[in-house]
Amino acid sequence: EVDIDEEVMAEEIEVDIDEEAVVEEVEGDIDEESIADGSDAEVVTTVAAEGAATMDCTLEMCSYEVAESTSLKYQVNVLEGTLSMEVIHDGESWLGLAFSEDGGMINSQAVIGLPEENTVQKFNLGGKEIAAIELMEQQSLTDASIQIVDGQTIMKFTKLLDEDGEIEILSGPGGMKNIMLFAHGSGLALGYHGPDARVKFELTL
C-alpha cells in the first residue's frame, strides 16, 4: 500500500492573472474610405494627451509625446485668444498638424510646414490627393517658422483659437478636448505621408 498525503492532493496551485494585461486593448481606427475604394486600410493610433493634465498650460509651455519620434509643445495665450505650438520631429521632412471635427483627414484644417520652401501655412484638406490640399485664403498665423537643426525638423506657429470659417480650437476651465492629426513625410517636399506616419490624438486645453 502506498499512503497518499491527502493534504498534498488537496493543495491548489493558484495562478494570479493580471486582469489589466488581459483586458488591455490596442485601439486603432481603420480608415473606412480606404477599405471602400479597395486600397490598403490605414491604421491610425489614437492616444490622449493627458501628460500635461497637472500643468497649467496658460502659464507655461506644456509638452506631449505625439509619437516615438515626435514631441509637441503648446501654450494657450488667454488674453490674445491664441494657441502657440512647437512640433519637434526626429528627421528631416515636411510636417503637418491638423484640427479635425471627426478624426478624419478629409475636411480637417492643417498647418503644414515645408522646409524646402521655408513656409508654414494653413490648408484645407479636401481629400487625400495632393491636388485636394488647398491653401487657405486667410493666412493668419504669427511667429511661424520651420527649420532643420541637427537632424530634427522644428515647426513653430501661433494660431487664433476662433477664426471665421475654421474649426474652433476649444479651451477653457477644466479642459476641453480637441481632435488633432499629425503627419510627416519621407522628404522635404509635400507628398504622401504613408500609413505609418500619421497619428490621431486628443489634446486637452
Side-chain angles (χ1 to χ4, degrees):
E1 296 182 6
V2 178
D3 294 328
I4 298 175
D5 189 340
E6 294 181 358
E7 291 184 0
V8 173
M9 293 290 293
E11 181 181 6
E12 295 180 1
I13 300 176
E14 299 181 358
V15 178
D16 293 329
I17 300 176
D18 187 347
E19 294 181 357
E20 292 183 359
V22 174
V23 301
E24 181 180 9
E25 296 179 2
V26 178
E27 298 183 28
D29 292 340
I30 305 298
D31 191 327
E32 296 178 355
E33 294 176 9
S34 296
I35 296 174
D37 64 16
S39 60
D40 293 336
E42 187 173 326
V43 179
V44 183
T45 304
T46 303
V47 293
E50 298 177 350
T54 58
M55 299 176 65
D56 187 342
C57 301
T58 65
L59 300 177
E60 58 185 321
M61 291 289 282
C62 291
S63 60
Y64 173 68
E65 185 175 344
V66 176
E68 186 175 348
S69 61
T70 307
S71 61
L72 173 67
K73 296 181 180 180
Y74 57 96
Q75 182 174 4
V76 178
N77 311 301
V78 178
L79 295 180
E80 294 85 0
T82 61
L83 174 66
S84 295
M85 310 196 87
E86 178 179 349
V87 182
I88 304 170
H89 175 69
D90 293 336
E92 300 181 6
S93 67
W94 63 264
L95 302 179
L97 193 63
F99 301 87
S100 174
E101 292 183 321
D102 58 8
M105 171 183 172
I106 298 176
N107 295 325
S108 64
Q109 296 165 346
V111 174
I112 298 177
L114 303 175
E116 202 169 49
E117 301 177 13
N118 195 30
T119 59
V120 178
Q121 298 173 302
K122 298 188 300 181
F123 292 81
N124 282 316
L125 306 183
K128 297 184 178 181
E129 304 80 15
I130 295 297
I133 300 176
E134 299 180 348
L135 185 67
M136 297 177 66
E137 291 185 8
Q138 181 173 281
Q139 293 296 324
S140 54
L141 299 177
T142 58
D143 302 322
S145 66
I146 187 164
Q147 57 182 332
I148 295 175
V149 180
D150 297 330
Q152 289 185 318
T153 305
I154 303 172
M155 179 174 71
K156 300 179 182 180
F157 64 88
T158 295
K159 186 184 184 307
L160 290 166
L161 296 173
D162 189 8
E163 300 188 65
D164 290 340
E166 298 186 25
I167 296 172
E168 183 180 0
I169 303 173
L170 304 176
S171 67
M176 302 182 72
K177 290 183 178 180
N178 297 270
I179 303 174
M180 303 197 67
L181 308 173
F182 167 75
H184 67 85
S186 57
L188 302 181
L190 185 61
Y192 179 54
H193 51 66
D196 299 322
R198 179 191 173 203
V199 177
K200 178 176 72 174
F201 61 102
E202 293 180 347
L203 189 67
T204 302
L205 301 174

